[in-house]
Amino acid sequence: MKKWYLKAIVQKIISFLPFRNRINFFFQKYVTKGVDLHEEHFFNKFQHLLDHLAHFSATNGKDQLKGVTCLELGTGWYPIIPIGYFLKGADKIYSVDISAHLTTATLLRCLEEIDRHQERFLAGLGAIDQDRWQILQDIRKQATPTSSLNSLCARLNFVPIVKDIRALELPEEKILLLSSNNTYEHIYPQVLGGIVEKLWSLTAPGGVMSHFIDMSDHFAHMDKSITIYNFLRFSETQWQWIDNPIQPQNRWRLQTYRELYQQLAIPYSEEKNRAGNLAEVRQIPLAAPYAQMPEEEVAISHAYLVSRRPA
């Protein structure tokens, strides 16, 4: 039996258990190694940070975030992007996640990895607030796994919120930078529209929404015997049996995201795509509706969708 199928079965079972998110974290950390903050994982997230900052700078003409309120959707276990926003001067950084993934231990693990790669990290970020860098160093040296998560986050101008963002109310906030990484693809189609619409409503004039979408089969990340298009062979009924609510995958292609933005009248002023691998797509007996899409559209594996609200 292939490794990806075993992982699917285990996660399906875990999804019925109490404390399922915590159990899944340990399963992925110690068995599949899917959530460990290894070097590749760290620098993937770091590159997203730099890209979001570049999208903001292209709109506002400034390299710093001083006076800016930011929001990240789906931060997960390791808040590399919020920490980067803090170092660039952001006044406040909201992190909204449907599940309480972030813990004191994962925050400290994140700071440990930043320190380990600090030369490359700081070179990539460019000018930062040095006082804030010192705050990071102090937390790393002084905090323990029993330290209060909320207290540590407060020192980083970081507000973690566990909530469905559609129910979030921030009536006095004007958010100029909203971002997500590897999040859209984990949201079920029936709720994604409401979430994107909410994000756009929170975007202030002159603000930017920058979202990175990974449209690859995430089971292929740990099982190299399948391609990143493997999950497109299954009908919707078959996929419902395989998929799980812990790490759901909606299997949308970029064409469908474009259609959603158009339906919501949300402009996207920039789109950056990875073309993917047509040869691998052609090896898969595609199920509907993917068989009816242009192969080039099916093959696109990753993309940024960037929307800018006029000032």
Side-chain angles (χ1 to χ4, degrees):
M1 185 177 292
K2 289 183 179 290
K3 289 191 292 184
W4 78 266
Y5 200 65
L6 287 171
K7 180 179 179 181
I9 292 171
V10 171
Q11 286 189 315
K12 196 78 166 182
I13 294 170
I14 291 173
S15 71
F16 293 104
L17 300 176
F19 310 108
R20 62 187 188 183
N21 288 309
R22 186 56 55 87
I23 295 170
N24 182 59
F25 174 78
F26 286 107
F27 167 66
Q28 293 205 74
K29 181 175 177 65
Y30 295 109
V31 180
T32 68
K33 311 296 184 182
V35 298
D36 184 35
L37 191 58
H38 50 73
E39 187 169 317
E40 182 181 4
H41 186 179
F42 176 83
F43 281 110
N44 280 340
K45 296 204 76 169
F46 181 54
Q47 186 58 55
H48 295 325
L49 165 63
L50 299 183
D51 291 338
H52 295 316
L53 289 170
H55 298 156
F56 177 81
S57 179
T59 300
N60 293 275
K62 54 185 180 181
D63 178 58
Q64 300 297 309
L65 297 178
K66 187 175 182 179
V68 172
T69 297
C70 305
L71 185 149
E72 184 181 38
L73 178 69
T75 297
W77 292 281
Y78 303 110
I80 295 170
I81 282 83
I83 290 171
Y85 292 164
F86 171 72
L87 291 173
K88 296 298 284 186
D91 277 9
K92 185 180 290 185
I93 308 106
Y94 290 104
S95 164
V96 185
D97 209 315
I98 195 67
S99 300
H101 294 307
L102 181 66
T103 66
T104 297
T106 61
L107 171 60
L108 295 181
R109 176 73 181 90
C110 186
L111 296 181
E112 175 186 300
E113 204 66 11
I114 288 173
D115 184 69
R116 190 162 78 90
H117 299 290
Q118 67 172 273
E119 183 176 349
R120 182 174 168 186
F121 185 81
L122 294 175
L125 275 182
I128 63 167
D129 185 314
Q130 292 298 326
D131 291 337
R132 293 186 175 195
W133 175 254
Q134 187 58 51
I135 290 172
L136 254 66
Q137 296 302 305
D138 292 343
I139 292 174
R140 184 181 63 82
K141 294 173 183 176
Q142 299 166 8
T144 70
T146 60
S147 299
S148 163
L149 176 63
N150 287 336
S151 296
L152 297 178
C153 288
R155 296 180 66 186
L156 301 173
N157 294 1
F158 179 33
V159 184
I161 300 172
V162 179
K163 178 176 283 192
D164 184 329
I165 195 168
R166 293 173 296 173
L168 182 66
E169 295 297 333
L170 301 172
E172 298 180 4
E173 297 289 354
K174 296 188 180 300
I175 301 175
L176 285 175
L177 177 56
L178 297 91
S179 60
S180 71
N181 313 283
N182 308 87
T183 300
Y184 271 18
E185 69 267 21
H186 294 301
I187 302 175
Y188 287 123
Q190 60 267 30
V191 301
L192 182 56
I195 288 174
V196 176
E197 189 172 32
K198 179 67 175 185
L199 290 168
W200 187 238
S201 74
L202 292 170
T203 307
V208 178
M209 282 205 319
S210 176
H211 299 286
F212 179 78
I213 314 168
D214 180 353
M215 292 166 282
S216 67
D217 183 341
H218 287 25
F219 289 123
H221 297 177
M222 52 77 67
D223 188 342
K224 302 306 179 183
S225 73
I226 59 173
T227 74
I228 61 172
Y229 307 105
N230 182 67
F231 61 174
L232 303 181
R233 69 173 65 239
F234 301 105
S235 69
E236 188 57 34
T237 299
Q238 290 171 323
W239 184 246
Q240 287 176 8
W241 282 100
I242 297 169
D243 198 26
N244 66 80
I246 296 176
Q247 192 179 26
Q249 300 179 67
N250 61 34
R251 302 193 297 165
W252 275 21
R253 313 319 294 161
L254 185 57
Q255 173 180 313
T256 314
Y257 289 105
R258 290 194 196 107
E259 291 169 355
L260 175 63
Y261 271 54
Q262 291 166 1
Q263 291 167 11
L264 297 174
I266 299 174
Y268 57 90
S269 48
E270 193 172 347
E271 181 182 298
K272 298 178 181 177
N273 306 331
R274 296 184 199 171
N277 190 319
L278 273 174
E280 289 185 350
V281 170
R282 290 167 180 160
Q283 294 172 8
I284 300 292
L286 297 173
Y290 314 108
Q292 285 74 50
M293 292 181 180
E295 288 182 335
E296 293 78 6
E297 287 293 323
V298 175
I300 295 171
S301 59
H302 301 76
Y304 277 102
L305 286 182
V306 183
S307 301
R308 298 180 170 93
R309 188 181 282 281

